[in-house]
Amino acid sequence: MILSMKWLSEFVKLDDNVTPRAYSEALTMSGSKVEGYETEGEEISNVIVGKILSVEKHPDSDHLVICQLEVGKEEPVQIVTGASNVNAGDIVPVAMDKSTLPGGKKITKGKLRGVVSNGMLCSLGELGLTAHDFPYAIEDGIFIMQEDCEIGQDIQSAIGLNDVKVEFEITSNRPDCLSVTGLARETAATFGKPLELHTPVVKGGAGDINEFLSVEVQNPELCPRYVARMAKNIKIGPSPRWMRERLRASGVRPINNIVDITNYVMLEYGQPMHAFDHKFVAGGKIVVRNAKDGESITTLEGVEHKLTSDMLAICDIEKPSAVAGVMGGEYSGINDDTNMIVFESANFKGSSVRLTAKALGMRTESSGRFEKGLDPQMCMAAVNRACELVEMLGAGEVLDGYIDIDNSDPTPKTVTFAPDWMNSFLGIDVSAEQQIAYLESLGFKVEGDKVIVPSFRSDIEDKADVAEEVARMFGYDKIPVTAISGTAKGGLTDRQKFDRLAEQTMLSCGLYEIYTYSFISPKYYDKINLPENSPLRKSVTITNPLGEDTSVMRTTALPSMLEVLSRNYNNRNASAALYEIATEYYPKGDDELPDEVPQLMMGMYGAKCDFYTLKGIVEILMDRLGIANWDVEPQHDNPTFHPGRCANLLVDGNVVGVFGEVHPKVCQNYEIGTKAYVAQINADMLYAAERPECEYKPLPKFPASARDLAIICDDATPVRDLERAIRSASGKLLEKLELFDVYRGQQIEQGKKSVAYNLVLRAADRTLTVEEADAVVKKVLKALDAIGATLRS
């Protein structure tokens, strides 16, 4: 919202010492945040009003003329110009020597074809203006002024280009501040000045509105109030300069008197309005109804839009004339031959306007206000103000009467007034009388123990909201600092500790953390070779995606990790080692939210990593998390991974993840020209199996017995099976099992391998005898024989 300080002065008289900076700081501290301010024409310097005394042809040019100008000095000033629309007696803007124009353009004296020129005559464009600001001027020539001004006067004050514009950031809960009167109320309360609001006065007398118009509202829920008034014998023309100046300062382009009146009222009251040409209202009847499926409307911007049955439309007896709260139709606008108009001042349900504007891709100044929720009580005052301006500007004759279909609830909202509670709640000490004064300055009324909330403050719900009003008027900066009472226990939850430990483990292993988007393209499933019948292809679809590449919520985070690996590889990074705790989304019922499952993802490529590098990181992770009963088993049918270099991670016999080398075809899909390795581990299942507390044992008192065993087995037998057999047979006496050699060669039968282990045996309460150690070895050999492994001779 851009506020004109000249316009504001009509409602609140501020002291002369209140500078724009002081004003901005004060309003920000009282809760109306100012984004910035600027003075119109502040880039313009040394540009003044001049009068052309004479115009002579240039002796050495067919298109240049030499002008002598009176500029308020003793001697006339000579300026050479190429404009063809200047004549003696014209009043023009003169950029003197060493002047500055908008955009930082510098003007200095010089010579044109040998004749001295001491400045420049200015056009509208060179002053940063258009013909909308001064309709009598021409766009492509010198600005011939018709203003009441003095020779030598600064151009800013002469043409009203000196207003101060203050830009506010208005939050969605304060639509009342999207108006000059709303900000004037905040200003008056902030500075303790009286608020001088204007009550519109309409003379009327040009006939009865009911003879020309009727209104029917078929959906009172979406249109709580609809007010209409009419004027005839309309005279379309430019608005007066004071109105054009205020519109320009507020960021609105002046067009003509009728259109400018609707925009002026919208800015003044915050109530969007629309003016219909009565001759295009078929049957003289306005019907506010839901559009019919398949109906269409061509809006004022000349674009045809298809409407649906959930959109509210302003119609006549034949067709839609406007999209309610958004934009009028092409036949509802004001034309040069318009003779009779209908002013519409209505209230529409904010959520309906927002959804309609979004569906049609037409967010307008009007819809931006309606969607925040406006006050139905503003409708009548706004339409009366528009009619008053019609009469004030001589733009037409207003008809008597109005049509007001009011289905809103005018009962004011009340909230408990608890001054002692508010002092305790805010940590201040303000008397009840002063609190009442603060509230009354903002339009509230206090009767006994009740606060009567003004209709324009829809954001006030309970006494805490009222306390906020008292706090901001008292001054947030004046609230004393107090120590927090009571005690608060802080710290990390067990799950946060788990996540942090997992992340620290990844970092200690040399992996860098990444963040990826949870929404992906359905095509990503093809890139990881996911089967067509895989349940993972059933994703949650995003209703309003940013694009096709972000249209579904991922059911697997593998594509996200591979995308990052691909980006790094194609950016010529020689190696990469990455991790992320990524969330996957599994759809449930139609009306249910999806299950969200966090996955610990790892990904890497480079000369110094292979399958066993990744497996080693998984082993370190299991050790750091204190998970003992874990294992790995080969996985041959996962389409994303190499069939011979992939393994499942098991905890307590349950699969919790998968890791291995990426399938060459998948690498090709992602344009990764080297071997890549990824892991996907269910973080929830790891958390459930975590054993965060370590168990410490005393140092052994008795010596250990060591035995070396060289085992012959089939080459296809996994080392994991041998270790399981040894651990199971050794029982509690096995303290340590270490693999120290694997041999395939001439001394071993083809298809076989020799696997050598070192067994460390120890008892906690005694020294093991040779017989006891040998008995353990016999049990181990028997268990190994059962799986086809024998002692190497």
Side-chain angles (χ1 to χ4, degrees), residues 46 48 69-77 96-97 151-152:
N46 202 21
I48 59 177
L69 294 107
E70 179 187 351
V71 292
K73 298 181 180 181
E74 294 182 0
E75 297 292 331
V77 172
M96 302 292 287
D97 180 33
I151 303 303

Side-chain angles (χ1 to χ4, degrees), residues 45-60:
S45 65
N46 202 21
V47 180
I48 59 177
V49 177
K51 180 179 180 180
I52 299 178
L53 300 176
S54 65
V55 179
E56 299 176 0
K57 292 192 66 175
H58 193 289
D60 195 26

